[in-house]
Amino acid sequence: EGGFPASQRIALAVEKAQGTLDLLLETCAKKAPALVATEMAVLPLARLAVWAPEDTWVRPLEDWEGVDKAANVSVALRSLTAHVLETYDTPPVLHTALSYKGD
């Protein structure tokens, strides 16, 4: 098997999460443009959509204020994930699961 999931299984997971991903993409285009500026910036959104479907979020996405238009990907992603996932303050070490590492 090679120690990693088959690409078809990955594609199915993303396909199943497509509605959530579309919502994230549309919202981020308006409220955090850095998160949709490049293919690499979008990958954490896909990961978020697959790992945490919209019905598991602690707050509605429409209530997210977004970030300053000049905010970088890391700042924008941190704001988004805190809004939809965190009920309590979360230690910084746990923020890396969805982090963005650009060029």
Side-chain angles (χ1 to χ4, degrees), residues 5 11 15 24 30 34 51 58 61 69 85 89 91 98:
E15 183 178 325
L24 286 165
K30 296 174 191 162
W51 285 352
V58 297
L61 187 57
K69 300 294 183 204
L85 299 178
D89 287 336
L98 291 167

Side-chain angles (χ1 to χ4, degrees), residues 16-80:
K16 182 179 174 186
Q18 191 63 54
T20 300
L21 179 56
D22 288 344
L23 178 62
L24 286 165
L25 293 171
E26 291 167 12
T27 301
C28 289
K30 296 174 191 162
K31 297 183 177 186
L35 289 175
V36 295
T38 68
E39 291 86 359
M40 292 304 291
V42 170
L43 289 176
L45 298 180
R47 189 177 304 128
L48 175 60
V50 169
W51 285 352
E54 181 184 1
D55 64 353
T56 66
W57 295 346
V58 297
R59 288 177 209 82
L61 187 57
E62 61 265 13
D63 291 350
W64 179 48
E65 293 182 8
V67 294
D68 183 273
K69 300 294 183 204
N72 69 31
V73 175
S74 296
V75 169
L77 185 61
R78 178 71 199 103
S79 172
L80 172 64

